[in-house]
Amino acid sequence: MSLFLSGLLWVGSVMIVTAILAVVLRRWRQREGLASNNEVAGQVFTVVGGVNVVIAAFVLISLFDGMDTADKTTYDEANALVAVQWAGNSLAAADRGKIQTLTRSYATEVSEREWPAMRSGREVGSEGWTVLAELQRTVEQAKTTSERQEDRRVEAANQVWNVYQARQVRLTSSGSGVSAVVWFAILIGSVMSVALMFMFGGPGLYSYAFIVSMLSGAIGLLLFAIYQLQNPFSGGADVGPDAFLSALARLSDSG
């Protein structure tokens, strides 16, 4: 099911359920003079709804920033990996060949095995770390016979460190999500905001149901967006392995 269709079904279902509930409750309590509650309920709704919207908006903005950071980090990691091989091309043949093999193995491991795990929210295996550690040892232990080779070896070592840093950020981003405490606050605040609408009186029955459904739909849309963006490598964000696929092509061309 596409993202837009699932979003429409989610928001539409929330709106329909709350509209029906509004109609049922209004008919059940229509003789109790709900209009007298408007002033007090309006003041409470302003506080409860305002707090809930602020929390949800803050979380959503943080997730948008996290998605952009995750996308940029993947390219930083892939570009640093290519830079390791380019710098290693100036080393002795044995070290150069091993560096080329390890950089390609790392890019393949990330794009073909780690990415599916990150998309499904599973823990990423240790194979990537193993390959990266072997690459670091190869660069550190490479023999140099000239100042230029030593400069290129140092540059390769610096780029391996950049790969390590970007990898750590990527893996942290894939497992961050939204904490249970934040979800609890947003969900309870959303329920309280909609529930307070049932205390208002004044408009006609179906106008009232429409107003309640619009509020619940807006809140449902926020919740859907937060859920889709909580993992930048799946759902609505879906940062893909394009950077590493491009890196593989460049690594093969320069090999």
Side-chain angles (χ1 to χ4, degrees):
M1 185 181 296
S2 69
L3 173 67
F4 294 105
L5 182 57
S6 60
L8 286 174
L9 288 176
W10 167 254
V11 175
S13 299
V14 170
M15 293 176 66
I16 291 172
V17 169
T18 52
I20 293 174
L21 187 60
V23 170
V24 172
L25 291 177
R26 173 57 66 88
R27 285 179 172 172
W28 178 49
R29 303 183 62 194
Q30 61 182 347
R31 298 181 182 277
E32 296 187 18
L34 290 178
S36 59
N37 294 336
N38 285 359
E39 183 176 353
V40 175
Q43 294 175 354
V44 177
F45 177 81
T46 299
V47 175
V48 174
V51 171
N52 186 61
V53 168
V54 168
I55 295 175
F58 177 78
V59 172
L60 197 56
I61 292 172
S62 299
L63 292 176
F64 271 119
D65 291 341
M67 180 185 67
D68 292 337
T69 300
D71 187 44
K72 179 181 180 299
T73 298
T74 61
Y75 281 93
D76 291 341
E77 185 180 359
N79 290 335
L81 187 67
V82 174
V84 172
Q85 178 167 305
W86 286 357
N89 286 339
S90 300
L91 301 177
D95 295 322
R96 179 171 66 247
K98 191 172 183 180
I99 289 173
Q100 290 173 355
T101 300
L102 289 171
T103 52
R104 293 171 193 169
S105 297
Y106 181 81
T108 301
E109 173 69 22
V110 171
S111 60
E112 295 184 1
R113 284 177 283 278
E114 290 189 356
W115 228 267
M118 292 190 300
R119 276 179 172 157
S120 61
R122 292 182 286 110
E123 184 176 353
V124 173
S126 61
E127 182 61 29
W129 288 115
T130 302
V131 175
L132 188 58
E134 181 63 22
L135 179 61
Q136 187 269 339
R137 282 193 297 270
T138 301
V139 171
E140 290 293 335
Q141 297 172 6
K143 304 298 183 182
T144 59
T145 57
S146 66
E147 184 177 348
R148 180 177 182 277
Q149 279 191 335
E150 179 61 21
D151 289 341
R152 302 309 292 165
R153 188 195 67 79
V154 172
E155 173 62 20
N158 291 335
Q159 292 298 338
V160 171
W161 174 245
N162 291 335
V163 174
Y164 174 88
Q165 289 181 305
R167 173 182 175 81
Q168 188 63 63
V169 173
R170 171 171 59 84
L171 295 181
T172 301
S173 299
S174 68
S176 55
V178 177
S179 69
V181 174
V182 175
W183 269 121
F184 177 80
I186 294 175
L187 290 175
I188 295 300
S190 300
V191 171
M192 293 171 63
S193 298
V194 175
L196 279 169
M197 288 297 297
F198 297 138
M199 301 301 297
F200 285 89
L205 177 60
Y206 295 107
S207 297
Y208 170 74
F210 180 76
I211 292 172
V212 174
S213 68
M214 287 295 103
L215 173 67
S216 63
I219 294 176
L221 184 60
L222 277 175
L223 296 177
F224 180 79
I226 291 173
Y227 176 78
Q228 290 294 324
L229 293 176
Q230 65 177 341
N231 182 357
F233 300 100
S234 67
D238 195 18
V239 175
D242 299 351
F244 286 92
L245 297 177
S246 176
L248 269 173
R250 286 181 286 170
L251 292 170
S252 299
D253 291 342
S254 62

